[in-house]
Amino acid sequence: MLKSRLFALLLALAPAAAFAAGNVKLQDAPIDLSDRASLQRGAGLFMNYCSACHSLQYMRYSRLADDLGLSHEMVEEFLVKGDAKIGDLMKTGLDKGDGQAWFGKAPPDLSTTARGKIGQEDWIYTFLKSFYVDETRPMGWNNTVLAGASMPNVLWELQGIQRKTEDGFVIQEHERGRLSPAEYERAIVDLTAFLTYVGEPARLKRESMGAWVVLFFAFFTLLAWLLKKEYWRDVH
Ligand code: HEC
């Protein structure tokens, strides 16, 4: 627990440049793992737009339901795909060989993507926002965070068609997506939060314990101060 707090502190102090991917500066992912609604929306987006290609091989539907405060019935009805059962691991229907053949690279399992590496949630967040049209690529898409990415922008219907210019990204009026820029931003935050949770489910618990740790320290600081006052009273 202490280690993770130290880690968080180090993260906060580390210069932003340390998170740069190639020469793209990663943006801070404004996720909130205590926001259940956000995680639930992220799970829905993941199942609809990502699970056809990506597995979450260490996560069971039942655990997801319990952690996110959803009933097993709801998860079975809305999230479980194919003939999978609520107790199953979240596998993808996509065969690795097919993935390799279709995309030039098998879509990696995403249950550990958000784990461990410093600033990884920032990487996912920035990656998902950095697709742009590139006719020279087999899928017609490229990504500034992962140059030559084999993944197409599967969210283009929501985001619109993003193009790269010298001053950054633009989405032209007639190429807008179904979501407004603010709604799209929220969707990406939700997805990033969900993948961060999946990468380290224990963090949900830990973050809520974090507040107790702070209270605990505050209490002992108060005690120490009272004690000190008590001792010094006799000295003066
Ligand atoms: C059509 C198949 C397909 C779909 C759908 C898809 N992806 Fe991917 N994704 C890929 C492929 C292929 C790669 C490997 C890209 C590479 O390394 O060039 C990838 C890579 C990634 C990576 C980088 C993983 C790593 O560790 O390198 C992330 C993160 C990711 N996808 C997230 C998502 C999310 C979130 C969604 C849903 C919004 C999604 N993907 C939907 C095919 C897909």
Side-chain angles (χ1 to χ4, degrees):
M1 215 177 317
L2 190 62
K3 221 171 97 194
S4 90
R5 299 201 69 77
L6 273 176
F7 188 60
L9 187 71
L10 279 177
L11 270 187
L13 295 177
F19 304 126
N23 47 13
V24 175
K25 196 159 170 290
L26 296 185
Q27 301 167 41
D28 273 340
I31 58 171
D32 176 3
L33 293 185
S34 68
D35 182 349
R36 271 193 174 176
S38 168
L39 292 172
Q40 291 170 356
R41 288 192 302 264
L45 284 165
F46 180 86
M47 291 315 291
N48 280 325
Y49 292 99
C50 322
S51 68
C53 289
H54 293 286
S55 57
L56 299 175
Q57 63 180 344
Y58 298 117
M59 178 57 73
R60 284 181 200 283
Y61 290 104
S62 48
R63 161 130 208 208
L64 181 108
D66 298 344
D67 283 353
L68 269 49
L70 297 165
S71 74
H72 287 197
E73 291 71 32
M74 249 167 104
V75 166
E76 255 178 337
E77 186 167 347
F78 296 110
L79 295 184
V80 175
K81 286 275 152 97
D83 16 287
K85 302 272 177 315
I86 182 86
D88 287 352
L89 292 167
M90 299 177 70
K91 298 251 167 74
T92 169
L94 182 71
D95 175 81
K96 270 216 154 27
D98 287 345
Q100 173 82 40
W102 293 339
F103 309 112
K105 187 165 178 194
D109 179 78
L110 290 187
S111 50
T112 51
T113 298
R115 175 156 47 190
K117 293 185 227 157
I118 291 180
Q120 192 68 359
E121 56 217 50
D122 297 340
W123 192 92
I124 295 176
Y125 173 71
T126 314
F127 172 67
L128 291 175
K129 291 177 27 163
S130 302
F131 283 96
Y132 64 94
V133 172
D134 179 354
E135 265 99 36
T136 67
R137 299 287 310 154
M139 293 276 158
W141 293 98
N142 207 335
N143 192 298
T144 51
V145 173
L146 186 65
S150 319
M151 176 173 150
N153 185 11
V154 297
L155 296 173
W156 72 270
E157 262 184 331
L158 302 183
Q159 185 186 23
I161 297 179
Q162 185 160 264
R163 295 178 187 275
K164 201 174 109 180
T165 69
E166 268 162 29
D167 319 313
F169 294 127
V170 288
I171 299 174
Q172 280 159 16
E173 195 61 42
H174 66 284
E175 295 182 332
R176 286 257 173 92
R178 279 202 278 128
L179 301 184
S180 71
E183 287 167 338
Y184 186 72
E185 168 67 21
R186 197 187 70 176
I188 296 303
V189 171
D190 294 342
L191 258 173
T192 305
F194 175 68
L195 286 174
T196 305
Y197 146 72
V198 169
E200 207 185 345
R203 227 170 109 174
L204 284 194
K205 193 76 162 283
R206 221 196 268 156
E207 299 226 327
S208 61
M209 272 159 78
W212 288 108
V213 173
V214 171
L215 272 178
F216 182 80
F217 282 135
F219 175 70
F220 274 96
T221 309
L222 181 73
L223 258 186
W225 179 73
L226 287 174
L227 263 178
K228 183 182 153 237
K229 244 178 69 169
E230 192 61 29
Y231 289 145
W232 283 94
R233 207 175 47 201
D234 298 335
V235 176
H236 288 314

